Amino acid sequence: NPCFCILRVVKFRRTGESSRSDEDVISGEHEIQIEGVRTELEPIELEDGAAVPKEFANPTDDTFMVEDAVEAIGFGKFQWKLSVITGLAWASNYAMEMMILSILAPQLHCEWRLPSWQVALLTSVVFVGMMSSSTLWGNISDQYGRKTGLKISVLWTLYYGILSGFAPVYSWILVLRGLVGFGIGGVPQSVTLYAEFLPMKARAKCILLIEVFWAIGTVFEVLLAVLVMPTLGWRWLLILSALPLLLFAVLCFWLPESARYDVLSGNQEKAIATLKRIATENGAPMPLGKLIISRQEDRGKMRDLFTPHFRWTTLLLWFIWFSNAFSYYGLVLLTTEFFQAGDVCSISSRRKEVKAKCSLTCEYLTEEDYTDLLWTTLSEFPGVLVTLWIIDRIGRKKTMALSFLVFSFCSLLLFLCVGRNVLTVLLFIARAFISGGFQAAYVYTPEVYPTATRALGLGTCSGMARVGALITPFIAQVMLESSVYLTLVVYSGCCLLAAVASCFLPIETKGRGLQESSHREWGQEMVGRGSHSPGVTRSNSGSQE
């Protein structure tokens, strides 16, 4: 007797979603055939004990890419663990080491009787190290793996961070802090590794939440300074601040290498093992079929950032990252100047008084100073929340443009002789949005570049940001002595141009998966796998559905 069965054929799609086949009703005699697989085949046992037909476990022509697997497996326990570890790197290797600059400089200014230019050089040398190494770390991560580059940079920072605590004279600590900055330049590669394990819907939110760990790291550093500085001194503060890096170095053994990198470098078995591990930890099934191996190609080549498809994107991103760091660190320096003066209009008269004082006059940080540092840090939380809310609604480009526009508008409002309370509100709003814009750039940059140049692209952008951080002290401190209003015009104008640059970025990455290869090759891959991919079917006319 013929039997009639209603089957729902679920096909895997690139976005990680499922859809039902149009042919929901299939009839036949004695057997049912689904995409060439018969039900009368000999069953085999899977690892979980479920019995399925032997050929069902290995569909004949089905293929998938790493992006397919990441979307199918979804967000789960593995990504939660990775979020904590990445956040630890961000807090210990980046936020704490950067925050310590504002605590160390005034202490050494008083203890070693340093002139102002030597105090400023302590901060600048860290940014010089970061600028000179960012591209190198990106190249290492593209050539030898994200995990490799991250581990080396963390161990480098740990080693020279501890050595800084034993510096006997100024020249030694200058060199050692520069070497610490060289290691910090590799920290953005943690975002590259992190992003390549995140499904598309969770990527923007997760990368933005890394900013929370930045705030946690800075708050922890200030609290540590409150406890350590009055009793043990700055040497122990440097040593204790480097110890969290040791914890991250140990946890690095748990970190897997990026499956996208393994596929691109031709190591298919390792990529499959990594994806299976993620699926097991998340309790999700692996997509059936064969993993496509991308054509092996040169990785980490600077020329790839300037191909016709990416040339304008690279140049515009460099200026956007430059403007972000230039404005963010400039605002941090201006905040101290404005608070000490009381308002913008009092800066000029205050400067005349300061010039009459000895250049070696120093003041140790007080409890009130540490409180102000905490409040300044906490002001970044609203920026993260606002950016988190809008980035998937209006897109990455518009989010960055909006952040720059709000910062520029607040900078122009500072032309008014406002009181202390209004000044505080304007400065906090400006810092909230510029920090949110910075995080939006961290979301956009790994998304826009393909796997072969993703780490290098992020590394070069980070290097340009350090150029902005190097220049901004000369504007926020030196130019401020000559003209407050010219200083504000420079920051406001720079951010206006950055807002325009954000709008002119040729690629919007909202709702787009991470690209495995270059633009042209990506298109060829999709055409080549269109006839047999689990997520791509063809109609009778041959067009992709």
Side-chain angles (χ1 to χ4, degrees):
N1 296 326
C3 63
F4 297 87
C5 303
I6 299 177
L7 301 176
R8 293 176 177 174
V9 182
V10 180
K11 296 185 178 181
F12 180 77
R13 294 186 180 274
R14 278 198 53 76
T15 59
E17 300 174 352
S18 298
S19 63
R20 296 175 183 174
S21 171
D22 295 331
E23 301 176 356
D24 282 343
V25 182
I26 303 176
S27 62
E29 265 185 56
H30 306 298
E31 60 186 25
I32 303 171
Q33 184 170 342
I34 303 175
E35 297 189 0
V37 181
R38 298 175 180 270
T39 58
E40 294 182 344
L41 295 171
E42 176 187 356
I44 61 172
E45 288 290 320
L46 291 179
E47 292 181 358
D48 58 2
V52 297
K54 183 180 297 182
E55 293 189 22
F56 235 118
N58 293 289
T60 54
D61 290 326
D62 284 353
T63 60
F64 65 92
M65 299 182 71
V66 176
E67 178 76 10
D68 301 325
V70 171
E71 296 295 334
I73 295 171
F75 190 93
K77 185 185 295 184
F78 173 85
Q79 281 79 10
W80 280 115
K81 293 179 182 178
L82 187 62
S83 298
V84 174
I85 294 177
T86 305
L88 178 61
W90 205 249
S92 61
N93 198 12
Y94 209 164
M96 291 179 65
E97 292 294 338
M98 295 304 298
M99 189 65 193
I100 205 172
L101 296 175
S102 61
I103 300 171
L104 182 64
Q107 185 71 22
L108 293 183
H109 176 49
C110 293
E111 188 170 324
W112 287 355
R113 312 301 294 174
L114 301 177
S116 299
W117 68 270
Q118 287 186 337
V119 175
L121 195 57
L122 275 175
T123 300
S124 297
V125 74
V126 177
F127 289 115
V128 170
M130 295 171 68
M131 179 187 65
S132 61
S133 68
S134 295
T135 302
L136 174 64
W137 292 121
N139 196 291
I140 290 174
S141 297
D142 280 332
Q143 292 280 356
Y144 305 104
R146 282 70 163 117
K147 180 180 177 180
T148 301
L150 186 58
K151 283 197 301 184
I152 295 174
S153 68
V154 167
L155 291 174
W156 180 289
T157 308
L158 172 64
Y159 178 71
Y160 288 106
I162 293 176
L163 281 185
S164 297
F166 298 95
V169 294
Y170 174 78
S171 58
W172 273 90
I173 197 167
L174 194 67
V175 172
L176 290 172
R177 296 311 294 176
L179 291 172
V180 168
F182 191 91
I184 296 175
V187 181
Q189 300 312 322
S190 63
V191 178
T192 302
L193 179 64
Y194 185 46
E196 291 182 341
F197 282 117
L198 294 173
M200 180 179 63
K201 290 183 178 179
R203 189 180 306 127
K205 294 182 177 65
C206 289
I207 296 177
L208 282 174
L209 288 177
I210 294 297
E211 173 69 13
V212 175
F213 286 94
W214 171 280
I216 291 174
T218 52
V219 169
F220 180 77
E221 184 64 35
V222 173
L223 294 176
L224 184 64
V226 172
L227 297 174
V228 174
M229 291 294 283
T231 55
L232 300 177
W234 62 270
R235 296 183 185 276
W236 275 101
L237 180 64
L238 289 177
I239 295 172
L240 293 175
S241 298
L243 289 183
L245 293 173
L246 183 61
L247 175 60
F248 177 78
V250 173
L251 293 176
C252 272
F253 289 99
W254 176 87
L255 281 176
E257 182 53 85
S258 168
R260 299 176 191 268
Y261 169 81
D262 285 332
V263 168
L264 191 67
S265 59
N267 198 339
Q268 182 192 27
E269 292 77 12
K270 190 175 178 181
I272 293 176
T274 299
L275 293 173
K276 287 182 178 178
R277 170 187 167 183
I278 300 172
T280 300
E281 290 197 34
N282 288 2
M286 276 280 291
L288 298 176
K290 181 180 179 181
L291 178 64
I292 290 180
I293 305 178
S294 300
R295 181 181 68 84
Q296 296 189 45
E297 56 186 47
D298 292 336
R299 302 182 301 278
K301 300 297 183 183
M302 184 67 74
R303 65 173 180 269
D304 295 334
L305 300 179
F306 294 95
T307 60
H309 184 63
F310 289 112
R311 184 182 300 122
W312 277 110
T313 298
T314 297
L315 293 175
L316 290 173
L317 274 178
W318 281 5
F319 179 69
I320 289 170
W321 278 73
F322 170 89
S323 302
N324 261 317
F326 178 75
S327 304
Y328 176 85
Y329 292 109
L331 183 65
V332 172
L333 296 174
L334 286 174
T335 299
T336 304
E337 300 291 337
F338 289 156
F339 280 171
Q340 288 178 342
D343 57 62
V344 176
C345 299
S346 302
I347 289 286
S348 299
S349 59
R350 175 180 167 272
R351 283 295 175 189
K352 293 178 181 178
E353 297 175 2
V354 171
K355 287 180 181 179
K357 297 181 179 180
C358 175
S359 62
L360 295 182
T361 301
C362 68
E363 295 180 1
Y364 288 95
L365 290 177
T366 64
E367 184 177 346
E368 184 180 0
D369 294 327
Y370 287 120
T371 302
D372 290 340
L373 285 174
L374 281 174
W375 279 112
T376 304
T377 301
L378 293 175
S379 69
E380 297 185 13
F381 281 103
V384 177
L385 295 177
V386 171
T387 306
L388 190 65
W389 186 73
I390 66 175
I391 194 167
D392 280 326
R393 287 174 168 80
I394 66 176
R396 281 62 162 147
K397 293 164 53 177
K398 292 181 180 178
T399 299
M400 289 188 287
L402 178 63
S403 299
F404 284 123
L405 286 175
V406 173
F407 178 91
S408 180
F409 180 69
C410 290
S411 299
L412 292 177
L413 288 179
L414 292 176
F415 273 73
L416 306 175
C417 292
V418 296
R420 172 82 176 222
N421 293 335
V422 178
L423 174 67
T424 302
V425 171
L426 290 176
L427 290 174
F428 274 36
I429 293 175
R431 180 160 178 175
F433 273 89
I434 197 63
S435 64
F438 222 146
Q439 290 305 307
Y442 267 110
V443 173
Y444 179 85
T445 306
E447 289 181 336
V448 77
Y449 287 113
T451 302
T453 55
R454 184 170 297 124
L456 180 63
L458 184 61
T460 55
C461 287
S462 179
M464 290 302 298
R466 306 314 151 201
V467 175
L470 271 172
I471 296 175
T472 200
F474 297 96
I475 306 299
Q477 293 175 328
V478 179
M479 183 181 287
L480 189 68
E481 295 182 359
S482 302
S483 173
V484 178
Y485 300 108
L486 180 59
T487 301
L488 294 175
V489 166
V490 170
Y491 284 112
S492 181
C494 181
C495 282
L496 282 176
L497 292 176
V500 174
S502 301
C503 295
F504 275 94
L505 285 169
I507 303 171
E508 172 58 71
T509 61
K510 173 189 172 185
R512 192 183 79 155
L514 293 184
Q515 306 298 291
E516 302 292 350
S517 187
S518 64
H519 180 67
R520 181 178 61 184
E521 292 165 355
W522 174 261
Q524 291 173 348
E525 284 176 348
M526 291 304 297
V527 172
R529 59 193 286 254
S531 60
H532 56 270
S533 172
V536 183
T537 59
R538 290 185 180 273
S539 63
N540 293 334
S541 62
S543 62
Q544 288 189 8
E545 295 178 344

